Amino acid sequence: MSLFKARDWWSTTVGEAEEFDHGCLCVANIDNSNDELDKIIIGSYHGILRIFNPKPTKTEDGGWSGYKPEDVLLESALPNPILQIEAGKFVSGSDNLHLAVLHPRNLAVYSVSVTSGAVEHGRHFQLKKAYEHKLQRTAFNFCYGPFGGVSGRDFLCVQSMDGTVSIFEQESYSFSRFLPGALLPGPIRYIPKSDSFVTVSSSWQLECYKYQVLAVATDTKTKEESQNMKSGKRVTWDWCFNIGEQALDLEVVNYPTAPPSIIILGERNIFCLTDTGKLRYMKKCEYDPSCFLPYASLVEGSINYLVATHTTSSLMVYQDIMLKWAAKLDNVPVEVRIGKFQDLQGIVVTLSDTGRLECLYLGTDPALFIPPVPEARELNYGEMDREMAQLQKRMKQSSNKPVIMPNAKQEDDLQILVQVNPGLDDNSVATGLEYEDPDPVPSISARIQLKSRLTIENITVSMHADWPLACNCGSYEVSSVDPSNPTENFVSFFLKGKVLPPTLTASVSANYTSATGAPRIATAKVKLPLKLVVKPVLPVKNAEFKVTLDTNKPPANLNDIFPDLLGENAHGPGAALGFQFYGMGSIVTVLASKTSQRYRLQCDKFEALWLLVKDLAGRLSSHFNRTKNDNFSVYFTGQLPLQEYFDLIENHFEHRLNAERCKEMLSQRATQFRAIQRRLLTRFKDKTPAPLANLDTLMEGTYRQILHLADTIEENNQSQEMAACALASGTHLFCYIIKLWTNMSQDEFKVLTSSITPVVSNNLDQGWEERVDAAVTHLLRTTLAKASKDQTLNPQPLTMPEDTTKVKKHIALMCDKLGKGARLVEGLPQNSAVNMAPSPRKEKKTKISATSKTVMENGVIDNSDDTETLIGSQFGQHKNKHLKDQEIMSAMNGLSDLSELGLPAANIPLEDEISEKQRKKHIESMVPDLDDMEVHTGPMALED
């Protein structure tokens, strides 16, 4: 038997399927008997009132007899639910205790009388109604006390659900008053010393109101007028104290051994304040309290109180903030009281929400179990020494292991194997497409196989593909996996959104519970082929953006490199191939030089080159590295595409600015709409109607503006998603070009992609621009600093910038340092394998008009914005779409001319060079002041 457990003195279960809560329990000498013993009064939400008089007797085994039917003194069914019951001197002209019962719409006061009979069983109790008050508002709780300093009488204060307090001076009604700022009612108590009320408002602060202030503030004469009031004089609190959490209960204590105090039970803390609102102490609870009860302490100046808990089902005994005792309970009480029964003082009475009524005491029972004397045995010291030596050896071996974490591969109970079919599906399952394409949109199937070392049950397999890719099955359930019988399922992936996919990688995860009961997740990556998103078309001659890749091997036939994406080019010479993304219209042309070791990729969209550049490099590596001795490499010797990449950053940032402007204007219009509504409502409620003064027209116009702004926000969000995908693809390409340009190691490339991250998310508090700016700035101040004295670490707050000037300057400065041989990983020698040596070029400032979309005051789009930018960077290249083909061919050292192959050019109308410059009007380049750099034009650069 546990020592710290509450001892059952008397208990019973009240009613069947009845509900109880705080306020449904009262302990008092309600029948006013001469022995002054307490009775237990409980009322349920079902409207049943019961009175108990526990009289257990000792049994032969030393226990208590428990509940007996004659312990029930009274049971009465009232017509309404019982919210709260209290005992006090509520009837004028009588010093006896009466019972006040609060119902939702009335407050009744009853007297409990005893009618004596001839024998013991002939005595019975009666419940007689003394008076009743009808309430105009739904009641929440009430308190009582000698309001106004009266003696020998208790008045009643009822608090309604809307925060109104109604004062009843016993049989007569006094007044009602609104409490300021009332939203939800809270516990309320009366302080006799200061003649005031304390309550916890919905703003989580303890507020004190003087009784005289409430009485003077009322301005109604009759009860009906007061309880139906809708306005009145404003009441201010005498003092308040912010507790910062919702209060479960509060009590006012006036003990001879302790100063007058107010104790508040919060959701996480217990507060003790003086009657003037000064904090005495606070106790933080490490559990969820359910109810509490203060009582007098024998120690001068201290207060004892009981706290019942939810989580541990315990009854805690505190003296101020010190825990004195803890006893385990069988139920979680919603109310706790202390009473005197059969000359036993300090019996703890608890009531649970299901009607379990218990009378407990916190004493201890003697332990009857006597442990036997252990048998004496001789100790074998030699065996003990050998065991100690073995243990020390194992401890030493464990301490010498470099890896403390367990090996995940050895402990994985489940393994996911994913195999993508080599060919596309015969019958495509692509549905819900956001675009239209003249050709059928393909899908590709993947086989997902689950293998396990042990039998695993209830496995949830989920597939995730970044938009615009999609899967026909988001998740499925596997009941069990047996080691001898792996499970297989097939899913299909396809291109759903009308935007360029930044990556062709999907993921498969399986959630399961291991044999030890721990949750586990197994993951696998799915690499999708390029033919899922592109189709072969005829290549085009002219394109705005071009990227040239150099290799150390003779040029290969493109028909051998792309055997699965030939289409109409199957019988061609293999010097030029064209690929078009489904639903986009963007055509990427791949050219192979006849004499040099170069390949050129060109397209009208810079971000569309990424997937083809990556796939071409991988296919060339697989084509040439067929043996271990082959050493094929790809590198980039042109100028970095800074300006093209900066255009993508600017486009994405403009959509973010538009989103912020739209949100700000939508908030303004919503505030204006609510203000107009309030004014119209005031006009309609006025007994003497006044002209509307075109308020209805203004409200209709504001409503239309709100709808238009909502549509604008939705359109901007869709455009921002597309801009984010374009920026992600451009970031992939930009980082990959830097890797080829500087012959970067894999560790350095990880640092680069973590700084200039290709993950562009629009759902984070910090945007992509500020996160990349902070990461690149950190590299410039630490790893890329010239000397250790230049290294500084003072990070700036991640707030949305006004423009993209800083992030573009920092990216250009980082490229400058990488071009001079700097390394992104400390400890590596200076990089001398950079394939580009820029030459200095002066900068000049010019004023040009940028095509930034800004939302104006009325919700329309304005395309006028002047931006001061830096032109003439050594990393940028002046865009001239109509360079002479002879110059391009000479720069390519023998690159095949598309016209010689009989291939069509892009169907774009040609204009003269001057009109083309005037039409574009966008930022040419944005870089810092880097006059000391040397610029040498490489064999091939990005041309547009």
Side-chain angles (χ1 to χ4, degrees), residues 70 109 139 196 227 346 541 558 652 670 742 819 853 857 879 944:
E70 53 267 25
V109 175
S196 56
Q227 292 201 0
K541 177 181 178 181
L558 294 181
H652 177 260
T742 60
K853 295 182 179 181
E857 183 68 17
K879 292 188 176 182
D944 54 284

Side-chain angles (χ1 to χ4, degrees), residues 31 34 113-126:
D31 60 343
N34 296 327
S113 59
V114 183
T115 302
S116 301
V119 294
E120 176 67 20
H121 296 286
R123 190 179 63 163
H124 63 280
F125 290 76
Q126 292 182 347

